[in-house]
Amino acid sequence: MATYVYRCDTDGPVDVPLPMGTAPSSLPCPRCAREAVRLFCPPRVSTGSRRIVEAIDRAERSRDAPEVVTRVPGAGARRPPVATATNPLTRRLPRP
């Protein structure tokens, strides 16, 4: 199901869920039964799991109001050590 947006002169924008590709150019408004014209806007599709949606929302919020760090991260927040090469042929290669 896709959500299409129609504009009614009386009620304003109205969201109507319809099967994808079946939306007519106009239909009766579900609230007042007057003719509502379809608006073309970005699709409203599911973006994935809840974690992905939260990450996208956090990135959007940080555009205008970035999160501010108020303290130095604790000792547990250190990066894990870089793995050392066990193959003797790769020991002389430069390290990252």
Side-chain angles (χ1 to χ4, degrees), residues 7 59 61 78 81 92:
R7 177 172 296 283
R61 283 192 308 269
R78 294 183 183 175
R92 288 187 280 176

Side-chain angles (χ1 to χ4, degrees), residues 6 8-9 15 17 26 35 40 44 47 54 56 58-59 62 75 79 83-84 89 93-94 96:
Y6 288 85
C8 175
D9 291 334
D15 294 342
S26 65
E35 183 180 10
F40 288 94
R44 296 184 196 175
T47 55
E54 289 173 359
I56 291 170
R58 192 176 323 110
S62 70
R79 289 188 199 171
T84 57
L89 298 175
L93 291 174

Side-chain angles (χ1 to χ4, degrees), residues 36-85:
V37 180
R38 181 175 169 201
L39 299 178
F40 288 94
C41 58
R44 296 184 196 175
V45 294
S46 174
T47 55
S49 69
R50 174 168 283 214
R51 290 187 332 185
I52 293 172
V53 172
E54 289 173 359
I56 291 170
D57 290 343
R58 192 176 323 110
E60 286 292 321
R61 283 192 308 269
S62 70
R63 181 185 321 165
D64 298 325
E67 295 178 11
V68 178
V69 178
T70 57
R71 62 182 177 87
V72 177
R78 294 183 183 175
R79 289 188 199 171
V82 178
T84 57

Side-chain angles (χ1 to χ4, degrees), residues 16-37:
V16 180
L18 295 168
M20 195 171 285
T22 62
S25 60
S26 65
L27 54 74
C29 176
R31 297 179 191 152
C32 67
R34 290 187 176 184
E35 183 180 10
V37 180

